[in-house]
Amino acid sequence: MGTIWIPGAERLGDGSIGGAMDSPSKPGRATWHSTESGAGNASFNAVAAYLIRIGAEPHVLYDPTTDRLGQFGPLNQSARALRNDGATRTNRTGKVNIQIEVLARAATPFTAYWKPGKNFRALMAAIRSWGVPDRFPMGALAGRYADPAAKRTRSVWLDQGGHYGHCNVPGNDHWDPGKISVSALFAAAPVGAPKPAPAKPQPVALAPFPGTAWFKYEPRSPLITAMGRRLVAEGYRGYKQGPGPKWTEADRAAYAWWQRKLGYSGSDADGWPGASSWAKLRVPKS
Ligand SMILES: [Zn+2]
């Protein structure tokens, strides 16, 4: 379930404009209109009242010059700004058909001069909350009345989610919202920055094997301490003190335990570290 009432939008009318969608299993869409009027608060109020009076409400009314947003009815029900396409009730096509009337004129595309703000972003977030993708599946918007570039293909309208102009709706002849910039539309409401990927565990820098002979000189080194800590981490419980930093018979006994644990026996489990058991112990570089 997506957003039904857009946060921050003012309520217009009595909140009841339509009903259930006819094809709720079809993808959601948004349909853009222009009111063919001026903008500003006086126009906003007059157009809202007019749309209510004639019963042609969209879901929302948007002023591109002030970012003012009003909502007539719930987004999960139909609006009334489209003509039917024969028996197909275009207002009720899809999971949602969110209709936006922009206070603008088709001949002067609003994205050329608008000032989108947080209400526009809230509108786009609400549209996206219904899974409507950021695309215009019908392709070009109309640049003039009866522009042949603007398609009204029925199969696309019925089956494809995304954004449409009124100019793209089958059975309708209006050419609004004009040739608005599709890229500007989406860019004005960037999808939240992708969440940072969970931090990967830091790869541990491992201490290279110093050679078996090195241990036989009874070294005193932080490497012996690191080695012993790894043996304890692996389950060795025989250290009375230490481990490290000086190599002692206690370390040799501990290491023999590790070799036996790995399955070595005899001289392969004599407590003197070898390259392969060392690699498996993964002693961090100290
Ligand atoms: Zn329209």
Side-chain angles (χ1 to χ4, degrees), residues 31-35 81-82 99-101 166-167 174-177:
T31 304
W32 294 85
H33 302 264
S34 51
T35 55
L82 295 173
Q99 298 190 51
I100 306 113
E101 284 278 7
H166 191 174
C167 59
H174 290 195
W175 68 284
D176 56 314

Side-chain angles (χ1 to χ4, degrees), residues 142-148 152 173-175:
R144 58 182 168 81
Y145 183 75
D147 185 347
R152 290 192 172 96
D173 66 354
H174 290 195
W175 68 284

Side-chain angles (χ1 to χ4, degrees), residues 109-151:
F110 65 82
T111 49
Y113 61 82
W114 65 334
K115 296 186 182 73
K118 70 175 172 52
N119 284 331
F120 182 78
R121 294 192 291 275
L123 167 61
M124 290 296 288
I127 292 169
R128 290 174 179 135
S129 78
W130 290 96
V132 176
D134 285 3
R135 56 191 287 264
F136 279 71
M138 203 73 85
L141 294 163
R144 58 182 168 81
Y145 183 75
D147 185 347
K151 306 295 185 219

